[in-house]
Amino acid sequence: MSTRMGGAVAGIAAGTLTLAVAEIGAALMMRGGMGSGDASPLVAVAGAFIDRTPAWLKDFAIATFGTNDKLALFVGMAIVLSAVCAAIGALGGPAKPPQKGVGDQQNLPKNGWPTWGLGLFALVGLVGVAAVLSRPDAAVIDVAPTVIGTLVGLWTLDRLWGRLRAPEAAVDHHQTMGSGQASRRSVLLWGGGLTVVGALGIVAGRTLSRAGEVVEAARAKLGTLRVADPVQVPADASQGIAGQTPFITPNDEFYRIDTAVTVPQVDPQTWRLRVTGMVDRELELTFQDLLDADLVEALVTLTCVSNYVGGNLAGNGVWTGLPVREVLARAGLQDGADMVLSTSVDGFTAGTPLEAMTDDRNSLIAVAQNGEPLLPEHGFPVRLVVPGLYGYVSATKWVTELKVTRFDQDEGYWTPRGWSALGPIKTASRIDVPRRGESVNAGEVVIAGVAWAQHRGIDKVEVRIGDGDWQEAELAAEPTIDSWRQWMLTWQAEPGEYAVSVRATDGTGEVQTDELANPAPDGASGWHTVDVTVEGS
């Protein structure tokens, strides 16, 4: 093994141990209630990266990785960090081991240490410190795990470099002339072993915190909520077609797109919702205050603005919560306000038109989904649900503050990154069956899917097969204009290749546009089309 390769192994081992010590330290701080929250440098660096992500890159990540975008980010970070540490280890250490005999000392740096290499490694640690301090509500003590981890990494790097630096003359005289090689092999063994230990330490650090245990215990205690006017989903809202999107999306299958690198674990006992800004009386609500209120249910479809035509970043559910308008009325709205800026525990913000929070739609401070406490990844203990607007301007999870303000004074997280400020949902329709590229047998073929135009409703869905005329599909019942609507069409298919398209008409009579548009800056548009092969019977 070459000296450069040995240095690279040393750098990777030092970097892995740095993260292991930092992650375990951050977990122990969280268990002990120290600091302001998650002091993990991994989470901090990833969060800082997401905060600086331009719209086009976010769009690309979601289109490529979907709901696995966070996993892809961590994998990318691991590759980049490994490459940086390997480069520091290889270039910062000795180019070759000193030769035995006269002139040994001349082969060492003047001070005996590759200080610039250690300095580069320390600089990487400082990047982690800066990232931790950049997170919302960060405290100075939060950097302690990263600082300690960096010191451990520096010591490890120096010790492994020392093995590469050892002159052959210093090796026991009973060893052969290949003892320099033996020294480099020991670096490979030690470095590889420490890398494995470090990787296990990182995993241990991410699982050591008790926050998840507290949340699960709180969810289990919540029990059945009192609801003033429960939603009854009619049986004819579902057409029961195999492969068609179910009318109600199961909680564990509901899409998740947000800026949180790891799912926040929020203890409902310490959670508070503050109502601030242009109000007569600032309010602070506890979780118990919400549970004691007159809760209502609403059937609402949520949609991510990053959803491409025909995409699956939409879901329908029954949400339980307190109407936002009641809380805002209690606070007293001041003249001139036109926006509510909601803030998440992870620092994310969304600017929602005040009208959408105060009109007759069921905008909720939600605590449950489909009759169960919110899952942590969907906002437990509390999130916002606002019909008719894309999630990036309305559906704040883990919400902690509602600031009544103005669009000319404040803006949400994604607006300065190039997305539109208002975010009304565009009329959309999707073909679920048959799927793109699927082969079907000639004869009776069912084409089915869903369509949505939240807070306007769906009045008509039409299907076009090949170059034929538009045919009106059969619609399922529409319990509310705030949720999607299932549709189906029976087609007498003959052998051949076909392009099948769908379009919807909303409750105002506006037909879904065929103009193709990418998600940025205000949502995708166009007709969903699938290619289908009909084989002879």
Side-chain angles (χ1 to χ4, degrees):
M1 180 186 71
S2 69
T3 303
R4 291 296 193 202
M5 185 178 296
V9 172
I12 293 174
T16 307
L17 280 180
T18 295
L19 283 178
V21 171
E23 291 299 317
I24 291 174
L28 291 176
M29 284 182 60
M30 185 176 289
R31 288 178 71 98
M34 301 172 62
S36 62
D38 195 341
S40 159
L42 266 178
V43 173
V45 170
F49 176 82
I50 290 176
D51 288 348
R52 290 155 181 80
T53 299
W56 67 265
L57 185 55
K58 169 185 178 287
D59 203 25
F60 170 79
I62 294 176
T64 305
F65 303 108
T67 55
N68 292 315
D69 56 337
K70 307 297 190 305
L71 176 60
L73 174 59
F74 276 116
V75 171
M77 285 175 54
I79 293 172
V80 171
L81 186 58
S82 297
V84 169
C85 290
I88 292 174
L91 301 177
K96 62 180 180 178
Q99 301 299 311
K100 68 177 182 177
V102 179
D104 284 341
Q105 295 303 315
Q106 296 178 358
N107 289 297
L108 288 172
K110 289 183 179 180
N111 61 1
W113 309 102
T115 52
W116 72 271
L118 294 176
L120 282 178
F121 192 90
L123 183 61
V124 174
L126 286 176
V127 170
V129 168
V132 170
L133 288 176
S134 73
R135 305 319 296 154
D137 302 321
V140 174
I141 194 175
D142 290 340
V143 306
T146 304
V147 171
I148 295 172
T150 301
L151 293 175
V152 170
L154 287 168
W155 180 84
T156 302
L157 187 59
D158 176 61
R159 297 291 292 180
L160 292 175
W161 273 346
R163 288 179 172 270
L164 292 175
R165 229 181 276 122
E168 292 181 20
V171 180
D172 190 290
H173 70 278
H174 292 296
Q175 294 187 4
T176 67
M177 287 294 291
S179 48
Q181 290 290 338
S183 174
R184 293 194 292 276
R185 282 196 297 271
S186 73
V187 172
L188 178 61
L189 293 174
W190 273 102
L194 290 175
T195 299
V196 172
V197 171
L200 293 175
I202 294 171
V203 174
R206 295 312 304 161
T207 57
L208 187 60
S209 169
R210 293 181 56 235
E213 301 172 15
V214 172
V215 167
E216 286 309 309
R219 292 184 70 247
K221 286 182 181 178
L222 197 53
T224 303
L225 298 174
R226 296 183 298 104
V227 179
D229 188 17
V231 166
Q232 301 294 330
V233 178
D236 55 0
S238 178
Q239 293 174 321
I241 305 299
Q244 186 181 35
T245 300
F247 183 70
I248 297 293
T249 307
N251 294 356
D252 59 354
E253 296 179 13
F254 211 91
Y255 77 94
R256 179 205 165 195
I257 298 292
D258 51 58
T259 62
V261 180
T262 58
V263 177
Q265 303 291 327
V266 183
D267 184 351
Q269 294 298 318
T270 59
W271 174 88
R272 297 292 184 272
L273 176 65
R274 297 171 56 240
V275 182
T276 63
M278 299 174 66
V279 294
D280 298 330
R281 298 166 294 281
E282 292 196 351
L283 302 178
E284 183 173 276
L285 302 177
T286 67
F287 189 60
Q288 192 60 48
D289 288 336
L290 294 181
L291 299 183
D292 291 340
D294 293 329
L295 301 179
V296 300
E297 287 185 342
L299 183 58
V300 179
T301 295
L302 299 184
T303 307
C304 179
V305 71
S306 296
N307 197 40
Y308 275 88
V309 173
N312 62 356
L313 300 182
N316 190 42
V318 177
W319 307 90
T320 305
L322 181 64
V324 183
R325 59 177 174 269
E326 294 184 10
V327 174
L328 295 180
R330 195 185 311 173
L333 299 175
Q334 295 179 358
D335 292 340
D338 61 7
M339 188 247 270
V340 175
L341 186 72
S342 54
T343 302
S344 168
V345 70
D346 73 332
F348 171 83
T349 55
T352 308
L354 180 61
E355 180 184 4
M357 296 287 208
T358 55
D359 62 15
D360 61 353
R361 78 186 76 191
N362 280 314
S363 295
L364 298 180
I365 302 171
V367 297
Q369 177 182 5
N370 296 332
E372 300 178 356
L374 294 171
L375 291 171
E377 58 266 36
H378 294 311
F380 183 84
V382 178
R383 67 170 297 160
L384 289 181
V385 173
V386 181
L389 303 177
Y390 288 117
Y392 79 103
V393 297
S394 67
T396 303
K397 293 184 275 194
W398 317 288
V399 62
T400 58
E401 182 181 6
L402 300 178
K403 178 184 178 183
V404 180
T405 181
R406 295 183 52 83
F407 278 103
D408 59 7
Q409 296 177 3
D410 286 295
E411 56 187 1
Y413 181 94
W414 285 112
T415 304
R417 291 165 173 80
W419 297 80
S420 67
L422 301 180
I425 291 177
K426 298 178 180 179
T427 301
S429 53
R430 184 178 71 209
I431 299 172
D432 293 331
V433 289
R435 300 192 179 280
R436 183 184 301 276
E438 186 176 348
S439 295
V440 297
N441 293 326
E444 188 173 281
V445 174
V446 174
I447 305 171
V450 290
W452 58 86
Q454 290 92 310
H455 210 57
R456 301 186 303 279
I458 295 293
D459 273 2
K460 183 167 63 174
V461 171
E462 297 170 289
V463 177
R464 185 174 65 187
I465 301 167
D467 296 327
D469 296 331
W470 288 101
Q471 304 177 55
E472 190 167 343
E474 177 185 340
L475 296 176
E478 185 178 55
T480 170
I481 60 173
D482 291 332
S483 70
W484 60 25
R485 196 169 188 181
Q486 290 187 343
W487 59 267
M488 63 169 289
L489 176 77
T490 301
W491 168 35
Q492 294 298 326
E494 297 181 357
E497 303 283 340
Y498 299 89
V500 181
S501 302
V502 63
R503 70 181 185 186
T505 301
D506 70 16
T508 69
E510 183 175 348
V511 180
Q512 178 183 346
T513 180
D514 63 339
E515 182 178 348
L516 289 174
N518 288 324
D522 59 358
S525 67
W527 295 336
H528 186 211
T529 300
V530 299
D531 297 322
V532 178
T533 299
V534 179
E535 299 177 343
S537 56

